[in-house]
Amino acid sequence: MHITRRTFLTGAASLPMLAALPRPSLAEIRIGEATLTTVSDGHLVLPADFIFGPMPQDQLDPVLRDLGVDPAGPLKPECNLTLYRDGSNTVLFDAGSGPDFMPTAGKILDGLEAVGLTPEDITHVVFTHAHPDHIWGVLDDFDDPLFVNAIHMMGRAEWDYWWNPETVNTIGAARTTFAVGARRRMEAIEGSVAMFDDGQEILPGIAAVASHGHTPGHMSFEIRNGSEAAMVLGDAIGNHHVAFRKPGWHSGSDQDAEMAAETRRSLFDRLTAERMRLVGFHLPGGGIGRADHFDDGFIFLPGDA
């Protein structure tokens, strides 16, 4: 499998382009006195084998068809940016794709406008990881930092991985542009970066949870106020179909497929045991919902049920 940014863009350009989603503010819940909202950055257009390539094809089709997913693709996952507001901090989890990754994504300005905000209102940008659809949006059309008043926060292991000059040589040809693009954007925000480690409370009520595998230092975040909590997952659980139904299957989207599968199983155990709400970057309906057991896997229940 050889997927590059050029492949993505070529594939996306051959399909009818969608305008910004009609509901840029997609979903919202309360966590105590704070509000958790998802806003749209648009959607991606991906070849099916980018995710499904390593999976057992004879078992894959029934799972996908049961959920109304075309095994041949293309896949068009939503990009849900999570916005957390507690009256003091206005925190954006991930920055989206920006103007340079894919024409169907990079719509964060529309999403923020829909909830009455501008980039200048964001106090913190917290990264789950540094793939293009999560970090390229830190720069605007002129390659200047977009969130000029924000502290940018990233897990130390993730920062170190993408900052390492050897990453571009070891990540593999399919993701070379990912490494180059991440490093360029990290250089642009270096002066406003704070790093953190697993288990650290990075802001009041927000704790980092290691969820490595999709990338070497991928982080999720537990947001808690008293007995109310939600988990911002990023791409640790990256879709509503095979990631839920068959969490142990390896996905082509993960950089360490075995570790990512272990992470998914661990997260599902916790999410279901605690009945914790979740927010997934690429999950449908705005990405907010819960996980529940289904046969030998799980199912995504959108909304606040």
Side-chain angles (χ1 to χ4, degrees):
M1 179 177 61
H2 184 74
I3 304 297
T4 67
R5 176 170 173 263
R6 183 179 297 276
T7 306
F8 284 167
L9 292 173
T10 302
S14 67
L15 298 163
M17 282 185 56
L18 297 182
L21 293 178
R23 294 169 58 231
S25 175
L26 297 172
E28 185 169 283
I29 56 174
R30 299 284 294 182
I31 306 290
E33 297 301 313
T35 303
L36 201 63
T37 308
T38 53
V39 295
S40 177
D41 193 52
H43 70 280
L44 303 183
V45 180
L46 304 174
D49 71 347
F50 181 64
I51 292 176
F52 304 145
M55 297 178 181
Q57 300 300 304
D58 58 331
Q59 301 175 53
L60 175 64
D61 281 13
V63 172
L64 295 180
R65 294 191 188 282
D66 184 48
L67 290 165
V69 178
D70 183 357
L75 305 176
K76 301 180 181 180
E78 295 180 11
C79 297
N80 306 306
L81 302 185
T82 302
L83 183 67
Y84 174 79
R85 289 171 285 181
D86 63 6
S88 299
N89 297 311
T90 300
V91 183
L92 187 66
F93 289 89
D94 294 320
S97 295
D100 298 327
F101 182 53
M102 191 174 291
T104 56
K107 314 297 183 185
I108 183 56
L109 293 179
D110 295 332
L112 290 176
E113 183 179 6
V115 293
L117 296 176
T118 68
E120 290 77 14
D121 295 317
I122 303 301
T123 61
H124 301 79
V125 178
V126 178
F127 297 102
T128 60
H129 64 297
H131 276 168
D133 51 330
H134 296 256
I135 195 174
W136 283 22
V138 296
L139 299 184
D140 64 16
D141 292 349
F142 303 97
D143 274 354
D144 292 323
L146 179 62
F147 303 100
V148 293
N149 296 324
I151 298 171
H152 296 76
M153 308 183 76
M154 186 180 293
R156 194 178 314 276
E158 185 76 356
W159 180 275
D160 289 347
Y161 173 75
W162 296 101
W163 192 258
N164 186 340
E166 285 303 308
T167 294
V168 72
N169 300 318
T170 59
I171 197 172
R175 290 183 168 92
T176 298
T177 54
F178 291 14
V180 173
R183 176 64 187 252
R184 183 164 75 86
R185 286 155 180 84
M186 291 161 67
E187 288 172 347
I189 63 172
E190 183 182 8
S192 63
V193 168
M195 284 179 270
F196 55 84
D197 299 301
D198 177 35
Q200 184 175 336
E201 186 177 50
I202 64 169
L203 290 166
I206 303 175
V209 178
S211 50
H212 305 341
H214 182 68
T215 62
H218 188 288
M219 285 284 186
S220 299
F221 300 93
E222 180 184 346
I223 299 174
R224 181 172 292 277
N225 189 312
S227 62
E228 298 184 47
M231 186 77 74
V232 177
L233 294 167
D235 285 359
I237 301 175
N239 58 69
H240 70 289
H241 34 81
V242 289
F244 275 76
R245 293 292 179 91
K246 302 292 182 181
W249 283 1
H250 289 186
S251 171
S253 66
D254 296 326
Q255 291 184 224
D256 185 330
E258 182 57 39
M259 181 181 291
E262 293 175 6
T263 291
R264 281 191 294 274
R265 288 188 288 251
S266 176
L267 285 170
F268 277 126
D269 287 346
R270 181 176 180 188
L271 291 167
T272 53
E274 299 183 21
R275 293 291 298 160
M276 188 185 296
R277 290 171 290 184
L278 60 87
V279 189
F281 191 87
H282 293 304
L283 299 183
I288 294 178
R290 297 183 191 268
D292 204 354
H293 293 278
F294 184 89
D295 290 340
D296 60 347
F298 302 89
I299 190 169
F300 176 56
L301 302 175
D304 195 26

